[in-house]
Amino acid sequence: QVQLVESGGGLVQPGGSLRLSCAASGIFPITAMGWYHHAPGKERELVARITITGITNYADSVKGRFTISRDSAKKTVYLQMNSLKPEDTAVYYCNVVAFSVADGKGIDYWGKGTLVTVSS
């Protein structure tokens, strides 16, 4: 049974902060966790990613403003979003990658998404 529970989205003013979290259940072995966002009229794109070893990647647009972290014991990934801009407005989706021996590659699991709205 696979479950990804996302939380932390909401309405925030420009310059404000939000912290997203995503807890994974029934998914193993996890190799990476991250966040994508999908804004109206645009394709879903990577925001931040962290591997099980702690290597992080960020979209250029969020570098210096967002920080991704994880709690391996809780199988939870966090995205601390600071200095938010209106262009950050989007639905944010949790992504968890689990290695499949049968497929010989990582398998993606997706949360249902949490809406982040940055507006005055």
Side-chain angles (χ1 to χ4, degrees):
Q1 188 175 60
V2 176
Q3 185 177 26
L4 271 61
V5 180
E6 301 158 309
S7 64
L11 174 64
V12 65
Q13 294 182 345
S17 298
L18 285 173
R19 191 191 193 208
L20 306 182
S21 65
C22 174
S25 300
I27 302 173
F28 63 93
I30 295 173
T31 59
M33 307 180 78
W35 293 92
Y36 288 68
H37 68 190
H38 192 183
K42 298 182 179 180
E43 296 183 4
R44 183 181 299 194
E45 63 181 6
L46 176 70
V47 177
R49 181 176 182 268
I50 185 167
T51 71
I52 199 67
T53 59
I55 300 172
T56 58
N57 296 296
Y58 295 94
D60 288 341
S61 62
V62 307
K63 287 181 179 177
R65 299 189 297 122
F66 293 8
T67 302
I68 191 167
S69 61
R70 88 279 191 239
D71 185 327
S72 296
K74 295 181 178 180
K75 296 186 179 66
T76 301
V77 63
Y78 306 92
L79 185 67
Q80 179 66 47
M81 304 186 293
N82 298 326
S83 301
L84 283 161
K85 304 174 180 179
E87 48 263 47
D88 294 319
T89 296
V91 177
Y92 285 71
Y93 296 90
C94 178
N95 168 250
V96 175
V97 181
F99 181 75
S100 172
V101 175
D103 295 336
K105 63 187 296 182
I107 302 298
D108 288 298
Y109 297 87
W110 297 93
K112 64 179 179 60
T114 183
L115 178 63
V116 171
T117 303
V118 185
S119 176
S120 298

